Amino acid sequence: MAISARWLLDTAQASRILILDLDVHQGNGTAAIFAREPRVLTVSVHAQNNYPFRKEISDLDVPLPDSTGDAAYLNALDRVVAPAVATFAPDFVYYLAGADVLSGDQLGKLALSPAGVRRRDDRVLRWAARARLPTVTVMAGGYHRDPHALIAARLGTLDAALSAFAPTVTGG
């Protein structure tokens, strides 16, 4: 993502890039890489008591306590993340859709239900589609012991993307 984001900026293909990291771990890499780049907004919603234990400083960090469930997570997206993103007004989006936010994930410490993960993906992807923003979605972390739960979350992300962007892709 960092290499392609830098290329988009350097070739004037984008002027304001959002990196929205919704993996259970803080987006420390992109935070460090773009720390002095005002054209990139790094946002990380993550478990505060999880790796990395020494956090970098994103443009917007939303550290959540262990066992945060659907309501509190989605509330943080709506009340903290959405206004900051709207103010920044990106023209390109990288979305890291972590499945490690699922309850029961071996390395995660959050507790989203499968329906909560789907609502998260729907919120992000419908917003991007309504704003007609080019969006790259990356299937980020997922370490659930139940492969069916992990695969279902991944398929849900893909379905959310198809549902959000299908009208613009087909010209409808």
Side-chain angles (χ1 to χ4, degrees):
M1 280 187 323
I3 292 168
S4 63
R6 173 59 55 202
W7 181 83
L8 289 172
L9 293 170
D10 290 349
T11 60
Q13 303 296 311
S15 60
R16 299 174 68 75
I17 296 174
L18 167 66
I19 298 178
L20 180 59
D21 191 330
L22 300 186
D23 184 86
V24 79
H25 304 101
Q26 192 225 17
N28 58 323
T30 53
I33 290 166
F34 292 113
R36 292 178 184 84
E37 176 53 78
R39 298 173 297 171
V40 176
L41 179 70
T42 56
V43 176
S44 179
V45 179
H46 55 270
Q48 68 186 3
N49 296 317
N50 208 329
Y51 178 87
F53 299 107
R54 187 181 77 73
K55 308 287 194 264
E56 295 292 333
I57 299 172
S58 304
D59 294 309
L60 176 60
D61 281 303
V62 183
L64 299 172
D66 292 357
S67 302
T68 295
D70 297 352
Y73 189 97
L74 296 171
N75 187 52
L77 279 182
D78 293 343
R79 294 187 184 265
V80 179
V81 175
V85 169
T87 298
F88 181 71
D91 58 9
F92 197 96
V93 177
Y94 287 96
Y95 170 42
L96 283 83
D100 49 6
V101 297
L102 275 170
S103 180
D105 187 274
Q106 304 180 73
L107 299 181
K109 293 189 176 201
L110 299 181
L112 273 68
S113 70
V117 172
R118 175 56 190 256
R119 286 195 297 275
R120 174 202 70 179
D121 292 340
D122 281 336
R123 274 177 168 75
V124 170
L125 294 163
R126 287 183 192 281
W127 161 78
R130 279 192 310 272
R132 303 186 68 77
L133 295 172
T135 302
V136 172
T137 302
V138 178
M139 300 296 176
Y143 315 95
H144 210 285
R145 291 187 193 278
D146 178 359
H148 299 287
L150 181 57
I151 291 167
R154 300 286 192 219
L155 291 173
T157 301
L158 293 172
D159 189 57
L162 289 171
S163 295
F165 284 96
T168 58
V169 171
T170 61

